Amino acid sequence: MTATTARANIESAARVIEFTSPMLGLAPYTTFTLESIEGADGLYALRATDAEVRLFVVEAPFVDRAYAPKVPASVRAEIGASSDDALRMLVVANPGDEGVHVNLRAPIIVHPGNGRAVQVILEDQTYPIRSLLGGR
């Protein structure tokens, strides 16, 4: 299997995202579609399936290749992932006058095999809540 084929398989498996509990500020919505933004690799619109709710998310490796927070075993269990399962990590992107900021402290962890997801608030405070893209 090529890397492109593997990526396509992940994309199709995670097209519908089902959160185990509502994301912060988005209750009661838990089911979303993940739609790629044409011409912007790694950028997606996350849209609630039953409301006019949308936010933008970015694949974490597109923000920072070294970004690799430890996913607790309890979070893996919550989304049905084993300790060996590769997980998809997304971060919320907030466009503004100064540019686009991402929240590296509260990533969205997605199990690509079943589409289950959870937003985690990391205890590790080395990751900022507002990080300007390209503003290192």
Side-chain angles (χ1 to χ4, degrees):
M1 180 182 318
T2 66
T4 303
T5 304
R7 183 74 186 150
N9 289 341
I10 289 172
E11 286 295 327
S12 64
R15 185 102 177 115
V16 173
I17 305 290
E18 181 71 37
F19 284 84
T20 59
S21 59
M23 292 187 346
L24 295 173
L26 294 180
Y29 311 110
T30 58
T31 305
F32 291 79
T33 58
L34 189 64
E35 303 167 4
S36 59
I37 305 296
E38 190 174 330
D41 288 343
L43 179 64
Y44 301 88
L46 191 64
R47 295 179 192 273
T49 59
D50 55 352
E52 290 295 320
V53 173
R54 178 198 71 191
L55 61 141
F56 293 104
V57 295
V58 180
E59 294 269 5
F62 282 87
V63 174
D64 181 352
R65 293 212 181 275
Y67 180 74
K70 183 174 176 11
V71 178
S74 61
V75 169
R76 286 180 168 279
E78 187 174 344
I79 61 173
S82 72
S83 60
D84 296 331
D85 288 339
L87 301 175
R88 189 174 192 184
M89 199 166 295
L90 306 166
V91 293
V92 176
N94 295 303
D97 293 338
E98 302 167 359
V100 177
H101 288 87
V102 292
N103 182 344
L104 297 176
R105 180 99 41 91
I108 297 167
I109 312 297
V110 181
H111 186 307
N114 64 19
R116 293 190 70 197
V118 64
Q119 185 176 33
V120 177
I121 298 176
L122 301 172
E123 291 182 24
D124 184 349
Q125 299 205 5
T126 60
Y127 295 110
I129 293 172
R130 272 179 57 92
S131 178
L132 184 62
L133 280 180
R136 302 190 190 279

